[in-house]
Amino acid sequence: MTRTLSALRWMLWREFLDQRQNRMLWPIYILMPLVGAALPALIALGSAAILSGDAPVKPEMQSMVNAVRMLAAASGVDLEIAAATILLRASAGYFLLMPLTIVSIAGAYAIVGEKQQRTLEPVLATPLATGDFLLAKLMAVAVPAVLMTWIAAVLGAVASVAAFYWSHDILVWPDQFYWIAVLVLGPEIGAMTALVCLRVSARMQDPQAANQITAIILVPLLLIVFSLVGPALITELKLLLAACLVGLVLTYALFLWVRRGFNREEILCRWR
């Protein structure tokens, strides 16, 4: 057990050093958290028509208006506060996109980048277990993205409170839907993205191709899923918790799938 932990710590430190040298990651690490921190406040400042309740309702906004009315009736709050709460719940969708975007770029380089640099073979030739190797890769790719997402979400929450109070004179704080999506569902999406990236990266010879294939696999799939269940996730707490549970099961299943398909002997022979 001690030997495994030592090997895992060594791999993690090695991976973090490699990630720090990836210049493609730094603009994403800086830009996306800045946008995420400002997004809830921008929604608050630009939502005067929705919060007033006087503007004509467009057909594409009808589902959100219905959700606002249902929340107001169920919670016994004003329509204005209910609308602000729904808008903040919807803004959490960006913080589900953040780990996907960052991880898809970092994960594409995780294995194929080391293949090109000829630094992968010495690691695979060691007695390090395949599960420990993949776990270290997964954590090194997903943890920084998740931490940046959490920081941006907290800053965005604080900014949204100030923006709603300044622009509409109401005091509203992101509720449990926002925090469950950010703190639980976001890391699960990041981990699933990382695992798919690792599987693709292990079979590719070019980082750009690995990144593109990962995007082709994940982006349409997630867009379809969120278009189908996204509106329900911001109104039904049980459904959101069920989505978190499904995400946990899928993450574990993906890890087993990637570990089973990772053939270190084949990689060593192919890249000599």
Side-chain angles (χ1 to χ4, degrees):
M1 183 67 179
T2 304
R3 183 177 179 179
T4 300
L5 291 176
S6 299
L8 189 59
R9 283 196 299 267
W10 172 75
M11 272 294 299
L12 279 173
W13 178 247
R14 179 179 177 275
E15 290 302 315
F16 282 128
L17 291 178
D18 287 342
Q19 292 291 329
R20 201 173 67 178
Q21 296 174 0
N22 190 344
R23 295 182 179 180
M24 295 218 25
L25 282 177
W26 287 108
I28 302 296
Y29 274 129
I30 295 171
L31 181 60
M32 291 203 73
L34 289 177
V35 174
L39 182 63
L42 294 175
I43 290 176
L45 295 174
S47 60
I50 298 175
L51 293 176
S52 66
D54 299 328
V57 178
K58 297 181 180 180
E60 59 269 21
M61 296 293 294
Q62 188 61 52
S63 60
M64 181 173 287
V65 172
N66 293 337
V68 169
R69 291 170 179 167
M70 290 174 58
L71 179 61
S75 304
V77 297
D78 295 338
L79 284 173
E80 194 177 38
I81 295 178
T85 302
I86 291 295
L87 287 171
L88 287 176
R89 291 179 184 179
S91 72
Y94 178 83
F95 300 110
L96 303 182
L97 178 65
M98 262 190 69
L100 185 150
T101 305
I102 298 174
V103 167
S104 64
I105 296 175
Y109 285 82
I111 295 178
V112 70
E114 288 206 60
K115 287 179 180 178
Q116 291 186 335
Q117 298 171 8
R118 300 291 181 179
T119 58
L120 184 62
E121 292 86 346
V123 177
L124 295 182
T126 65
L128 183 68
T130 300
D132 294 336
F133 171 79
L134 293 174
L135 181 60
K137 288 283 186 182
L138 169 63
M139 293 178 66
V141 169
V143 168
V146 170
L147 289 177
M148 295 302 293
T149 301
W150 285 352
I151 293 171
V154 171
L155 294 177
V158 174
S160 69
V161 173
F164 273 119
Y165 186 76
W166 178 76
S167 60
H168 304 293
D169 200 26
I170 59 174
L171 191 60
V172 59
W173 183 260
D175 62 0
Q176 67 268 29
F177 285 82
Y178 180 93
W179 295 114
I180 291 173
V182 169
L183 298 178
V184 181
L185 199 55
E188 290 174 351
I189 290 175
M192 287 187 283
T193 304
L195 289 167
V196 173
C197 287
L198 290 176
R199 181 62 184 260
V200 173
S201 183
R203 295 180 175 271
M204 300 298 294
Q205 300 181 9
D206 179 61
Q208 296 293 339
N211 191 12
Q212 292 169 5
I213 291 177
T214 302
I216 291 172
I217 294 172
L218 290 175
V219 173
L221 179 62
L222 288 176
L223 286 177
I224 292 172
V225 171
F226 283 123
S227 65
L228 293 175
V229 303
L233 291 179
I234 64 174
T235 57
E236 296 291 337
L237 183 59
K238 290 182 179 179
L239 184 59
L240 178 60
L241 294 175
C244 294
L245 181 60
V246 171
L248 182 63
V249 173
L250 286 176
T251 301
Y252 182 68
L254 278 173
F255 182 80
L256 296 179
W257 174 64
V258 173
R259 186 177 65 179
R260 188 179 300 114
F262 188 81
N263 191 332
R264 56 201 297 168
E265 289 79 11
E266 179 183 353
I267 294 174
L268 284 170
C269 294
R270 185 189 305 170
W271 283 85
R272 284 190 182 279

